[in-house]
Amino acid sequence: MSALRFEPDDKYNAFLTVCKAPEGGNGKLSGIPVAVKDNISTQGIETTCASKILKGYIPPYDAHAVELVKAAGAAIAGKTNMDEFGMGTSTENSAFGPTLNPRDTGRVPGGSSGGSAAAVASGMVRMALGTDTGGSIRCPASFCGIVGLKPTYGRVSRYGLIAYANSLETIGPMAANVLDVSLLMSVIAGHDRHDATSQDRPYSHTPSADIKGTRIGIPQEYFGAGVDPAVAAVVKKAIGRLEELGAVTVPCSIPSMEYALAAYYVICTSEASSNLARFDGVRYGPAVEIKKSWHAAFQDARREGFGPEVRRRIMLGTFALSSGYYGKYYAKAQIARENIRKDFARLFADVDVLCGPTMPTIAFKLGEKSDPLSMYLSDILTVPVNLAGIPAISVPCGTVQDMPVGLQIMGRPFEDERVIDVAYAYEQGGQP
Ligand code: GLN
């Protein structure tokens, strides 16, 4: 083990904790500083999910992905800022202040893995771990101009990831280029007996830029209402470049996408209301004094410890699951989810990947989206992927107003290799 000096000039509030002299070892990631999103457990290093309710919590164990990253010789550089518990699309919902976009500090870095993206985009670290429940790796990758992969559900262990919506979320790699994303993926993927949903599908792949004959579906919904025409134009041009590189494009449609956002927000809030029930503020966080009753003390701690967006979602989810409304919301959302999964499966019988923009817009200004609904609407192009459990990557493909635009490439379950290859082909041959 060798200690590295890591003293980043964090002008962007990307880090919540910096490990000043992280230990590195030998292996595939020898001596590489890797930043870790603050909802991923790190032994001996405070892990808060950017929430006051977890302030002071020091996990006694490493998440499986962190254990693997360390075993590969990487040095844990620090813990990165995020939307509280992963709930948001801008990193403005952090209890510890927003992260700024290194490309334009008046704009958000995207979320919820905004700290990880900013740490990579500013060159403070070479790689980072993020998590993606409804777009939280791909959105900040798109907004900050880096590469981010949301792996197939089950391909990377969630053990040690503090749950927000466990049926949707996964840990995944973020880096400045496709090869580094692939390298980090090769370290973190594979089976783990501590996660019952983890599959025995390790990843060992050398990216290939040969995409001759690859069939790319272009879903019309990804270029429809709500998508900034300037962003759509940049992405269409990138897809044209993939055609020049030998891919074949096929127009297609995902009719069930109409229900994706509503289904996502019912399911994620329902799961959150259950997952977040455990936080009581007794051992860490606001440290309540039990004066009246336990009940009243927990209520006070949770009111004080959770930010407004988290409280809103706990209430929404509790309502969606309550008796009498369960069938109306949660059960219907599950039906929509199944239809989305089927639509993707139908398309993937004909095409190898689907392409479209990652986000409907470029990074917005800090404070620009002050109502929750307009923030939720920016997730429209990313959440279908989580509902279906498929892999998707965001790779930079140009700019609008000098801000990066991400090309999203979605693939069949467990074909993370293929989305990586298409991204690599674009990265290598994207600019004619
Ligand atoms: N923006 C989405 C949400 O707020 C996705 C967040 C995420 O992927 N963690 O739920």
Side-chain angles (χ1 to χ4, degrees):
M1 292 289 220
S2 56
L4 284 162
R5 267 219 356 257
F6 183 69
E7 284 169 44
D9 180 15
D10 187 9
K11 291 180 292 226
Y12 312 106
N13 199 28
F15 284 95
L16 295 177
T17 304
V18 168
C19 304
K20 286 262 159 69
E23 298 270 321
N26 293 321
K28 274 194 208 176
L29 303 179
S30 264
I32 299 178
V34 175
V36 178
K37 188 176 179 182
D38 208 34
N39 58 349
I40 304 175
S41 303
T42 41
Q43 184 175 16
I45 307 170
E46 189 179 15
T47 298
T48 66
C49 294
S51 179
K52 280 195 284 181
I53 203 124
L54 277 167
K55 189 80 196 121
Y57 169 56
I58 298 183
Y61 71 106
D62 276 326
H64 188 62
V66 170
E67 208 171 84
L68 293 171
V69 163
K70 281 181 167 176
I76 303 302
K79 303 302 293 291
T80 55
N81 203 0
M82 54 184 284
D83 288 295
E84 187 174 357
F85 284 99
M87 299 178 188
T89 313
S90 67
T91 312
E92 292 168 295
N93 292 339
S94 166
F96 308 115
T99 296
L100 312 180
N101 190 321
R103 298 282 291 252
D104 173 351
T105 53
R107 293 179 187 267
V108 303
S112 63
S113 312
S116 287
V120 170
S122 61
M124 290 188 282
V125 292
R126 194 170 132 189
M127 301 173 179
L129 291 179
T131 66
D132 194 311
T133 310
S136 285
I137 287 176
R138 290 160 288 154
C139 160
S142 174
F143 281 6
C144 293
I146 64 160
V147 184
L149 171 72
K150 179 248 173 245
T152 303
Y153 187 79
R155 199 139 189 201
V156 177
S157 168
R158 285 181 295 104
Y159 180 67
L161 162 61
I162 298 173
Y164 153 28
N166 43 281
S167 81
L168 298 159
E169 64 206 354
T170 171
I171 294 175
M174 305 171 80
N177 58 65
V178 177
L179 285 182
D180 275 352
V181 159
S182 179
L183 174 62
L184 186 51
M185 179 65 180
S186 75
V187 169
I188 61 176
H191 180 251
D192 170 27
R193 66 185 176 86
H194 290 114
D195 172 0
T197 62
S198 143
Q199 306 286 320
D200 190 13
R201 299 294 287 258
Y203 172 101
S204 67
H205 178 62
T206 308
S208 155
D210 180 4
I211 54 161
K212 279 190 203 71
T214 298
R215 291 175 63 78
I216 302 182
I218 315 293
Q220 64 183 50
E221 291 78 5
Y222 275 76
F223 297 88
V227 180
D228 176 357
V231 167
V234 166
V235 171
K236 280 205 171 131
K237 194 160 163 242
I239 293 169
R241 188 65 198 139
L242 290 173
E243 281 179 322
E244 286 166 18
L245 294 169
V248 178
T249 57
V250 184
C252 63
S253 165
I254 311 176
S256 57
M257 219 173 121
E258 187 185 338
Y259 305 106
L261 203 63
Y264 172 80
Y265 273 96
V266 168
I267 293 171
C268 78
T269 55
S270 297
E271 293 186 17
S273 73
S274 158
N275 282 324
L276 271 55
R278 71 192 66 164
F279 301 111
D280 56 18
V282 172
R283 274 169 293 182
Y284 28 78
V288 289
E289 242 188 282
I290 316 265
K291 285 200 207 116
K292 297 169 265 177
S293 63
W294 286 97
H295 188 73
F298 294 160
Q299 245 175 13
D300 289 348
R302 286 168 67 83
R303 192 177 298 116
E304 203 186 309
F306 289 132
E309 182 59 27
V310 176
R311 292 203 303 272
R312 175 180 301 117
R313 295 204 191 188
I314 291 172
M315 287 187 280
L316 279 171
T318 306
F319 176 74
L321 291 178
S322 58
S323 115
Y325 290 100
Y326 182 93
K328 208 168 166 199
Y329 297 108
Y330 188 73
K332 277 211 173 132
Q334 293 294 3
I335 293 169
R337 180 177 193 171
E338 185 55 18
N339 288 337
I340 289 161
R341 198 193 56 73
K342 281 188 187 148
D343 268 355
F344 274 114
R346 178 177 52 78
L347 292 176
F348 284 132
D350 178 39
V351 299
D352 300 305
V353 295
L354 296 166
C355 280
T358 305
M359 296 299 292
T361 63
I362 56 168
F364 34 88
K365 302 248 168 72
L366 286 154
E368 186 182 324
K369 296 205 190 278
S370 46
D371 68 301
L373 190 59
S374 69
M375 190 72 86
Y376 299 172
L377 281 169
S378 41
D379 298 335
I380 180 66
L381 306 180
T382 48
V383 298
V385 162
N386 302 76
L387 290 164
I390 61 177
I393 196 168
S394 181
V395 64
C397 72
T399 56
V400 167
Q401 292 173 46
D402 275 339
M403 290 305 291
V405 171
L407 166 68
Q408 182 172 206
I409 303 154
M410 301 161 262
R412 299 187 186 104
F414 298 102
E415 290 195 1
D416 306 63
E417 289 81 352
R418 200 191 290 264
V419 301
I420 292 254
D421 284 352
V422 177
Y424 188 54
Y426 182 78
E427 187 188 70
Q428 298 304 303
Q431 321 310 327

